[in-house]
Amino acid sequence: MPDPSPCDFFVIGGGSGGVRAARMAARLGARVVLAEAAALGGTCVNVGCIPKKLYSYAAHFADDFRDAAGFGWHVGETSFDWSVLKANRAAEIQRLNGVYGKLLADAGVQLVTGWATVVDAHTVHVRTASGSESFTANHILVATGGHPTVPDFPGRELVLTSDDVFDLEPFPRRLLVVGGGYIACEFASIFNGLGSRVVQLYRGEQVLRGFDADVRQFIAQELRKHGVDLRMNCEVASVAKAAGELVATLKDGTTLAADAILYATGRVPNAANLGLEEAGVKFEGRGAVVVDQHYQTSVPSIHALGDVTDRIQLTPVALGEAMVVAQRLFGDGKRTLGYDFIPTAVFTHPNIGTVGFSEEEARQRYGEVTIFRSEFKALKHTLSGSAERTLMKLVVDTASDRVVGLHMVGPDAGEVVQGFAVAMKAGATKAVFDATIGIHPTAAEEFVTMRDPVR
């Protein structure tokens, strides 16, 4: 076997975080090798954020066609072709895979296609289609992301995860979604909009645990309005196949028939079979790699970031962490990442956008808080005839007047909240919000016109 090839930085994983870290390190002068066994782009590009958002756009057209009548448009009969959507999505994802490859090549990163295993603190072995290669590196980065998990129950082999639904065949006329997190709620909205009869089951009292209570209650109401049969305090005991359909038996003894069953009940880190434990890397919780504030593992030369550390499972967080790691190892080390006031969106119908603390979290952290809340029918729906409503909420630390939580349920909530996240990261107070002129007529202006606290 030839001697290992030397490099400064070996990255395991070609998702958003790994590619960003590799590119930035190479631009800073490091000799970088990246190994990826699957398509470049990771979960986000291939079976996550990007295809999900494309399918969300597709699902919204059903509402748009209905809404158009109130504005004088006669749309006529419409139909949906699942095969066209799948083919166009696949072509776009393939294009993005190529873009990621070009970004690496242009930065001077050596790409190795294969399964990487850590041998020791400075050595990585890669199994490729044609054999194997070994590398030595001053620093190793693990950015292997996560994968969906399904609990153990009779018939679990018959259900799908979010990785499977984009190319589902045939299109499910009846879809059972199990879970109450953002992935479950998003796919319930998407397939409902595309024409499935969707039943969503959640074992808890309310969906979207961890979100603001008003947001949780409001989106549950809107999901039902849009046609999702959302049921709480329900848990599946078993799944069986009978007469060409799937039958889920619930723990209370009732049954539900469906063409497909999607389990969206959580994700766990991709940290197994990488040689990490044998190399001395410590794990915790659900198999997450333990890192310090510098993303360094218990082995000083091995770092980890993104979903494999099981902290905040968001693509932009992994990107931010990647920038910090690259700068620390090969730059001036001045870049940092704060985890307060990270904005996020849930692409339900309607969307959710949120940044900062929920009311419940803020009360625990700050004590006295002042709440501003507005619920209304958007201008568009005064003519469309839709019953959809919008919720906006501000959480203010009473002592400092700082806005510490901002929440929206409504069209384009993510687009609206992104801009406000900048102001909140900068420490904007309610007085600053009040002094800001709104853009009229928009929904976003409501955030700078709320004057009367509700509690």
Side-chain angles (χ1 to χ4, degrees), residues 63 66-67 218-219 221-227 349-350 375-391 409-411:
D63 288 336
R66 285 190 294 268
D67 292 347
F218 193 86
I219 193 59
Q221 165 189 305
E222 292 298 317
L223 287 171
R224 292 184 175 111
K225 260 196 233 176
H226 277 262
H349 297 186
E375 179 187 328
F376 56 91
K377 178 179 281 193
L379 178 63
K380 174 183 176 181
H381 295 315
T382 61
L383 295 189
S384 74
S386 171
E388 181 181 285
R389 295 182 68 79
T390 294
L391 170 71
V409 183

Side-chain angles (χ1 to χ4, degrees), residues 341-355:
F341 302 105
I342 291 175
T344 188
V346 186
F347 296 106
T348 44
H349 297 186
N351 295 174
I352 300 169
T354 182
V355 59

Side-chain angles (χ1 to χ4, degrees), residues 324-365:
V324 173
V325 170
Q327 285 287 342
R328 178 172 180 268
L329 296 180
F330 305 106
D332 58 18
K334 293 180 180 178
R335 192 181 185 101
T336 60
L337 177 66
Y339 291 91
D340 284 343
F341 302 105
I342 291 175
T344 188
V346 186
F347 296 106
T348 44
H349 297 186
N351 295 174
I352 300 169
T354 182
V355 59
F357 300 100
S358 68
E359 178 181 344
E360 298 76 22
E361 292 169 334
R363 290 191 185 280
Q364 291 181 355
R365 186 177 182 118

Side-chain angles (χ1 to χ4, degrees), residues 51-118:
K52 178 183 66 182
K53 188 70 179 291
L54 291 173
Y55 280 19
S56 179
Y57 284 135
H60 270 292
F61 281 104
D63 288 336
D64 293 340
F65 295 143
R66 285 190 294 268
D67 292 347
F71 294 87
W73 289 93
H74 302 287
V75 177
E77 187 175 342
T78 61
S79 62
F80 169 65
D81 192 328
W82 174 235
S83 64
V84 171
L85 176 61
K86 290 194 297 181
N88 289 344
R89 179 221 86 232
E92 172 58 13
I93 299 311
Q94 187 175 36
R95 184 189 72 83
L96 290 174
N97 296 148
V99 169
Y100 271 68
K102 187 174 187 303
L103 287 171
L104 290 172
D106 289 350
V109 176
Q110 179 185 348
L111 174 63
V112 181
T113 302
W115 185 269
T117 306
V118 175

Side-chain angles (χ1 to χ4, degrees), residues 165-197:
V165 297
F166 296 104
D167 283 306
L168 190 56
E169 186 61 38
F171 181 82
R173 294 299 165 189
R174 299 169 299 168
L175 178 67
L176 176 61
V177 178
V178 181
Y182 71 95
I183 295 175
C185 292
E186 287 173 333
F187 279 113
S189 281
I190 287 168
F191 278 91
N192 175 70
L194 295 177
S196 286
R197 295 199 304 275

